[in-house]
Amino acid sequence: MVVSVGVLYYCIGYTGYISTLSWDGASPQPIPIGTQNYTRLFEDPVFWKSIAHTGIFFVVTFAVQVGLGMFFAILLHSKVQLGVLYKVLIFIPVVLAPATMAPVFRQIYAPEGQLNQLIQAFGPRDFDYAWLADQNTALMVVMSVAIWQSTGVVFVLYYAAMSQIEPDVMEAARLDGAGNLRIIRSIIWPGVRGTTLAIAILTAIGSLKTFDWPFLVTQGGPAYGTEFLGTQIYRVSVALSQVGYGAALSIVLLVLALSVAIVLNIAGKDKEASRV
Amino acid sequence: MFQAKRRLIRSALVTTGFLAAGALALSGCSASAPSNDGGSATEGTIQWWSWTPDNDLAQREIAEFNKEFPNIKVTFKKVPNADYTGVLRPALASNDGPDVFTVAASGAVGPVNVFAPYAQDLTPAIAEKLGSDWKSQIAPTMADAFTVQGKLAGLPWAKQGAGKMWINKDLFDKYGLSAPTTLQEWVKVCETFRANGHGCFKEGVGGSGFDVDTLHSIANSVEPGVFTAAARGEKKWTDPAMVKAWEIFKQLSENGILDEGAVGVQQYPDVNNAFLTGKVPMVQMGYWYSQYATVNSLTAALSGAGVPAETPKITIVPVPFPDVAGKGNPSTVFSDPDAAQAVNTKSKSRSAATTFALWLGGSKAGQQVVANNVDSIPTLKGVEAAWDSVQLVNPEVQTPLLREFAKETAESTEPRQQSLAAVHIQAVIDANQALLTGQRSPSQVAEDVQSVADANPVSK
């Protein structure tokens, strides 16, 4: 345990050290530059774009995943035929590798892709919108793909959490005349509060670390329209050989992830306390 | 009990210390001096890592090498361009990196200036093989391009050129069209293709940087040499000729020449697959694309694109870039010392690795295979592809044009991207994307690139 923790924190410490260097990652003589990488970071418009995209990504993916995950969980807790099959279908995207699926999504959203063909079938026949070439729609594509993949996990978490709610409580509510919406609002939603908080923390940290989908589908583009901290770190560290600057971005990412986790935890506990 | 606990903690701390020291040593980022004699020069097993050439071409080169050196087993590992630098860096920092690794003269993919600390000085070896006048026996600027602080860090192996368009001759013939030579002709050709359900000029401006070549060609049409002058810091990127070049680039999009959504498209695999499967008639690629004029490489590429084996093999030919500025400036080919083979100073098979690098770049036999692969131009003077033995899809049409492109690339002295550091290339890519997405005007992107150039002055 001590060894593992030692190595883990050594890596973080070493990244912190690299962040104070001007270094291409291979040169034997890196140049110490103090906090210059950090000051540069705050003047870097791409960094702020990455932060903004992370915020949008978190809000949208969290809201949609929670909505869909809860919807599926409630649906499958009721008496539905072929329930097991639906559970499998909802969960399958979770186990598919992004590297395998990225070309599929690039094809679906291409100007001659299946999405446009679908729109052509029901609307204008010459519709050939380049979804990945527009900054706004490209970000939507990345978010939609992430939601497609992660909703299965949220569903499983909610499904398990709902299993913990006493059926008697719901039965009593029904006898008191509560409808479905009232039961969801007053019994299920408070009952899965801890799960929602956990999902929020996981989604927030996942948003900060987002890399695979934007890198594989849009390469962070167009014009940095889908750049996230992860893709920026990779680009400056690898393509531009600015390893020191990449390390500074990594440290900022770490600080943000820890801060978000702490804030969400505290917020969750405060709310819990106020309900007692 | 407390003593046992203390011992446990102490031993854990000591182990952690050792691990940390080991990690420090690993990440110490300096190439340690060779701790072995380098082994035999005629036998052994070596690992060769590179982003180029394709696997089938590399295997041909290795097979030919083994005819001369049957006791040296070479294992080729092709790493995609985008990953190469990231993969190579930790590999070389460890003691288990490749024995031979390919380096580039410039850019972001394996740049020699980044990896030179891990490379053995090959000057004595090449001087012994070719004589003291070895520099005069290889293409100009090659030796200098791979010399870092007086050390020949990689043995030049291939030269690469760009500046031409590739067209699907079969599609042009089908609609009775000729390759466009002016902007107006280009617009009309594209109208015909689009009316028949094809794309026209497809370009991946999504980040891989091939659009830098297109901008270069446009700039040469406006004013020959202006792109190179800007890249070298001899002219400003805000020069009126460069602003005009960006204006024309934008016109390609507005006039229906450039296919929709270029900034959301990657040159590989999107553009490559679309062109080779006959969906679009025109792309801008360099000499490396000649390999797809051959039956074997085109078959392999189509297989990789997942199309049925019976898909017809198209006739691809290089044509001059149109005179888009209408000033009568001819299309030019620009070239770079593309790649060289470096020998890892830590390799336990340094001698065998050196034999391989020398054979590939410094022997007529090695360079002949490189030439016959028609993927890049050999660097050793006097070696050219044996075109009669290269199996092309349509030899009658393709051979003269490919031979001409090879000659132009071999003789070209205009640098392609050699004067551009990775950060400059990124700035041009950013400019092209901002321009085509309508975020910035031609004069604004010129200022953007100039501000990056000012912050990162050209070192040479």
Side-chain angles (χ1 to χ4, degrees):
Chain A
M1 176 69 181
V2 175
V3 173
S4 308
V5 171
V7 172
L8 184 71
Y9 285 94
Y10 163 78
C11 294
I12 295 171
Y14 188 64
T15 303
Y17 163 65
I18 292 174
S19 73
T20 64
L21 305 173
S22 171
W23 189 37
D24 61 16
S27 162
Q29 288 169 328
I31 303 162
I33 55 167
T35 56
Q36 277 183 37
N37 281 326
Y38 290 94
T39 49
R40 172 187 165 186
L41 186 149
F42 289 104
E43 294 161 1
D44 181 355
V46 178
F47 168 73
W48 292 111
K49 272 193 173 187
S50 301
I51 295 288
H53 296 153
T54 303
I56 295 167
F57 185 91
F58 167 66
V59 171
V60 174
T61 58
F62 174 70
V64 177
Q65 282 172 183
V66 163
L68 283 175
M70 186 165 280
F71 172 73
F72 289 135
I74 292 169
L75 208 64
L76 289 168
H77 262 293
S78 59
K79 287 173 185 168
V80 179
Q81 284 189 338
L82 302 173
V84 177
L85 177 67
Y86 293 137
K87 285 177 200 169
V88 171
L89 287 176
I90 294 166
F91 197 73
I92 278 177
V94 176
V95 298
L96 294 174
T100 314
M101 295 307 297
V104 175
F105 284 106
R106 287 184 60 77
Q107 172 57 36
I108 290 172
Y109 289 103
E112 66 284 1
Q114 287 80 355
L115 177 61
N116 284 344
Q117 286 173 10
L118 191 69
I119 294 170
Q120 285 164 13
F122 296 101
R125 292 198 170 181
D126 57 349
F127 192 88
D128 61 350
Y129 194 74
W131 299 90
L132 297 174
D134 181 312
Q135 288 200 51
N136 298 317
T137 54
L139 187 60
M140 280 168 52
V141 167
V142 170
M143 291 191 294
S144 70
V145 174
I147 290 166
W148 167 84
Q149 179 161 60
S150 302
T151 297
V153 173
V154 176
F155 154 71
V156 167
L157 292 173
Y158 274 135
Y159 189 84
M162 284 179 201
S163 302
Q164 306 297 313
I165 299 172
E166 290 294 333
D168 294 350
V169 177
M170 293 217 264
E171 194 61 33
R174 285 207 186 279
L175 288 173
D176 285 344
N180 287 340
L181 286 177
R182 184 59 195 251
I183 287 174
I184 291 170
R185 199 181 66 200
S186 302
I187 298 175
I188 295 178
W189 181 247
V192 298
R193 216 175 145 276
T195 303
T196 305
L197 182 64
I199 292 168
I201 293 171
L202 288 174
T203 310
I205 294 173
S207 302
L208 283 165
K209 288 164 56 180
T210 295
F211 173 78
D212 45 11
W213 287 118
F215 183 75
L216 292 165
V217 177
T218 57
Q219 291 209 339
Y224 302 109
T226 57
E227 189 85 317
F228 286 79
L229 282 172
T231 52
Q232 192 182 4
I233 289 167
Y234 183 84
R235 194 168 45 74
V236 299
S237 302
V238 177
L240 299 180
S241 292
Q242 296 171 353
V243 176
Y245 186 48
L249 283 162
S250 302
I251 294 294
V252 170
L253 172 59
L254 175 74
V255 170
L256 285 173
L258 281 174
S259 307
V260 166
I262 291 167
V263 167
L264 285 175
N265 253 317
I266 292 171
K269 278 178 185 162
D270 285 350
K271 206 151 191 182
E272 194 73 39
S274 68
R275 291 173 63 229
V276 174
Chain B
M1 184 180 151
F2 286 113
Q3 273 185 342
K5 210 175 219 175
R6 266 207 299 273
R7 269 204 301 275
L8 182 69
I9 292 170
R10 198 184 305 143
S11 64
L13 286 173
V14 169
T15 314
T16 309
F18 273 119
L19 278 170
L24 264 173
L26 275 179
S27 55
C29 61
S30 64
S32 58
S35 58
N36 54 69
D37 63 1
S40 165
T42 54
E43 57 185 8
T45 300
I46 57 172
Q47 291 268 343
W48 170 28
W49 289 14
S50 183
W51 71 93
T52 182
D54 282 355
N55 282 312
D56 54 332
L57 306 188
Q59 292 312 326
R60 281 184 221 162
E61 290 167 4
I62 292 167
E64 202 63 29
F65 171 71
N66 282 146
K67 286 181 184 169
E68 207 171 322
F69 297 95
N71 297 322
I72 298 178
K73 185 181 180 221
V74 183
T75 306
F76 178 66
K77 179 177 175 179
K78 182 179 164 73
V79 182
N81 294 26
D83 303 330
Y84 187 71
T85 303
V87 167
L88 192 59
R89 192 177 282 133
L92 291 177
S94 79
N95 287 321
D96 298 313
D99 305 285
V100 176
F101 57 97
T102 306
V103 286
S106 58
V109 183
V112 68
N113 62 325
V114 170
F115 293 107
Y118 297 100
Q120 180 164 294
D121 186 3
L122 294 170
T123 312
I126 189 68
E128 190 181 334
K129 186 171 180 69
L130 296 180
S132 56
D133 65 336
W134 64 272
K135 277 190 187 178
S136 66
Q137 297 177 49
I138 62 174
T141 75
M142 283 286 168
D144 290 344
F146 294 101
T147 300
V148 179
Q149 294 176 344
K151 175 169 86 173
L152 183 66
L155 193 69
W157 163 63
K159 187 180 182 185
Q160 200 49 268
K164 292 217 179 207
M165 286 204 308
W166 286 83
I167 64 167
N168 178 341
K169 185 75 167 53
D170 303 327
L171 269 185
F172 272 76
D173 289 347
K174 182 178 176 183
Y175 299 111
L177 298 169
S178 301
T181 59
T182 64
L183 192 63
Q184 292 72 28
E185 284 180 17
W186 206 354
V187 170
K188 287 197 171 172
V189 161
C190 286
E191 282 171 358
T192 304
F193 280 124
R194 292 195 191 286
N196 287 283
H198 296 281
C200 192
F201 177 63
K202 196 172 180 76
E203 173 103 280
V205 193
S208 43
F210 292 90
D211 48 302
V212 178
D213 288 336
T214 305
L215 180 70
H216 193 158
S217 287
I218 296 170
N220 274 356
S221 174
V222 177
E223 182 184 314
V226 67
F227 185 94
T228 301
R232 286 177 170 159
E234 295 161 3
K235 280 197 173 185
K236 298 277 186 191
W237 289 95
T238 48
D239 187 278
M242 280 310 304
V243 175
K244 181 69 182 171
W246 268 303
E247 278 173 15
I248 294 173
F249 202 165
K250 195 167 169 60
Q251 279 177 26
L252 297 189
S253 175
E254 293 166 348
N255 290 351
I257 293 170
L258 190 63
D259 274 7
E260 282 287 324
V263 293
V265 171
Q266 304 296 328
Q267 196 81 350
Y268 291 95
D270 302 336
V271 174
N272 181 52
N273 287 356
F275 182 68
L276 294 182
T277 53
K279 288 176 187 156
V280 294
M282 267 177 277
V283 293
Q284 168 128 356
M285 295 277 200
Y287 182 78
W288 63 88
Y289 225 54
S290 301
Q291 63 182 295
Y292 300 117
T294 69
V295 175
N296 288 344
S297 291
L298 183 55
T299 304
L302 289 174
S303 169
V307 297
E310 64 273 16
T311 301
K313 290 179 182 54
I314 62 170
T315 304
I316 67 168
V317 293
V319 298
F321 193 85
D323 175 18
V324 287
K327 294 187 173 181
N329 295 320
S331 165
T332 55
V333 170
F334 27 90
S335 65
D336 275 349
D338 184 49
Q341 306 304 340
V343 173
N344 187 351
T345 51
K346 294 180 186 173
S347 165
K348 294 181 180 70
S349 307
R350 261 192 335 278
S351 304
T354 305
T355 301
F356 179 66
L358 285 177
W359 181 86
L360 206 51
S363 77
K364 288 216 166 178
Q367 288 281 280
Q368 190 63 56
V369 197
V370 172
N372 289 352
N373 277 340
V374 293
D375 171 44
S376 47
I377 300 295
T379 51
L380 203 59
K381 286 180 182 171
V383 179
E384 60 178 76
W387 290 103
D388 294 342
S389 66
V390 177
Q391 197 190 352
L392 299 171
V393 173
N394 189 342
E396 201 175 321
V397 173
Q398 291 171 311
T399 303
L401 295 168
L402 294 179
R403 193 190 286 266
E404 177 64 18
F405 195 4
K407 185 168 177 282
E408 286 178 81
T409 303
E411 293 174 354
S412 159
T413 54
E414 180 178 344
R416 185 180 167 225
Q417 295 180 2
Q418 195 190 350
S419 310
L420 291 169
V423 67
H424 300 133
I425 293 173
Q426 182 71 53
V428 175
I429 294 169
D430 292 349
N432 293 346
Q433 291 193 358
L435 182 81
L436 293 180
T437 50
Q439 294 173 48
R440 306 284 283 167
S441 68
S443 56
Q444 285 174 324
V445 298
E447 284 166 15
D448 294 344
V449 177
Q450 186 55 46
S451 67
V452 173
D454 290 340
N456 303 273
V458 179
S459 56
K460 288 182 189 176

